[in-house]
Amino acid sequence: MDSLLSWLFSSQEDELYILDLMAYFMVFMAVCTFFSLLFQNVPYGRYASSVYGFPVNVKFAWFIQEMPSLFLPLALVLWTSSAKTSLLPNQLLIAMFLCHYFQRTLIYPFLIRGGKPTPFASFALAFVFCIYNGYMQIRYLSHYAEYPGEDDFWWKTVISYRSCLWLVGWLMNIHSDHILRNLRKPGETGYKIPRGGMFQYVSGANFLGEITEWAGFALAAHSIHSSAFAIFTTVVLTSRAMAHHKWYINKFEDYPKSRKALIPFVI
């Protein structure tokens, strides 16, 4: 892996420059995505359309498209030489990223019950994004990110505490997915109103969990790379939450009136 990267980049300065450009480009794409989603829902699940390519089995799609965000970072950590991976702050941040994608790649897809096929275009774009983001996040954290030592005030009060926000979001996301999976009893079909957990307050509880998760990660990592990911995630998942909320209201006459789309008591 070191040989490949040294062939691609003439120096560490060059690679860091590319990593920074990748982050700024992700922010630019977040802005473009924001405006495009004002007119079109993300084509997946109940919004899927044959216009975006042939259908891909949802379990297969989730497993394959998330793989690069787990296995590419693992390769970067295990098969490259960097003193940064021996530092506790870097280790924690890398572990946060890998923990999410371990669950998303090796557990979540195999728990899906039913689920509509994913259009090929959505599947392919997600796969490319996971390669792009997996490399950008973990290469920066494993090779370039510098944080104070584990006994430093900054480490104790900033990185460790902000990591708790990531944990809250991660648990919220997993719990919300559990609620959604168990809406229907064996043999039942059709859509139901999700209840319990953060679904008591918002229609997009699973989306709120993931947004919170990556916001905590960005605050702890304190870099343009993590911030770009958090911004992009927020744009895409906010759009999904708003679309789901509108769909639920139109679908169910008895949908809770006090429930908001994404932020409890606000929107």
Side-chain angles (χ1 to χ4, degrees), residues 59 62-64 66-67 70-71 74 98-111:
K59 289 187 177 183
W62 267 105
F63 174 66
I64 297 299
E66 301 294 301
M67 278 179 59
L70 176 64
F71 294 114
L74 281 174
L98 292 177
C99 184
H100 173 90
Y101 281 105
F102 177 87
Q103 193 275 338
R104 221 61 178 165
T105 303
L106 300 180
I107 298 176
Y108 175 78
F110 304 101
L111 296 177

Side-chain angles (χ1 to χ4, degrees), residues 54-65 109-110 112 114-120 123:
F54 61 86
V56 181
N57 176 274
V58 64
K59 289 187 177 183
F60 177 82
W62 267 105
F63 174 66
I64 297 299
Q65 74 189 31
F110 304 101
I112 294 174
K116 292 186 176 181
T118 302
F120 180 78
F123 161 68

Side-chain angles (χ1 to χ4, degrees), residues 75-125:
L76 290 171
V77 170
L78 299 176
W79 297 338
T80 60
S81 55
S82 174
K84 297 293 190 297
T85 54
S86 65
L87 302 176
L88 189 55
N90 302 63
Q91 290 175 345
L92 173 62
L93 292 163
I94 291 171
M96 289 159 61
F97 189 89
L98 292 177
C99 184
H100 173 90
Y101 281 105
F102 177 87
Q103 193 275 338
R104 221 61 178 165
T105 303
L106 300 180
I107 298 176
Y108 175 78
F110 304 101
L111 296 177
I112 294 174
R113 297 179 180 178
K116 292 186 176 181
T118 302
F120 180 78
S122 298
F123 161 68
L125 287 173

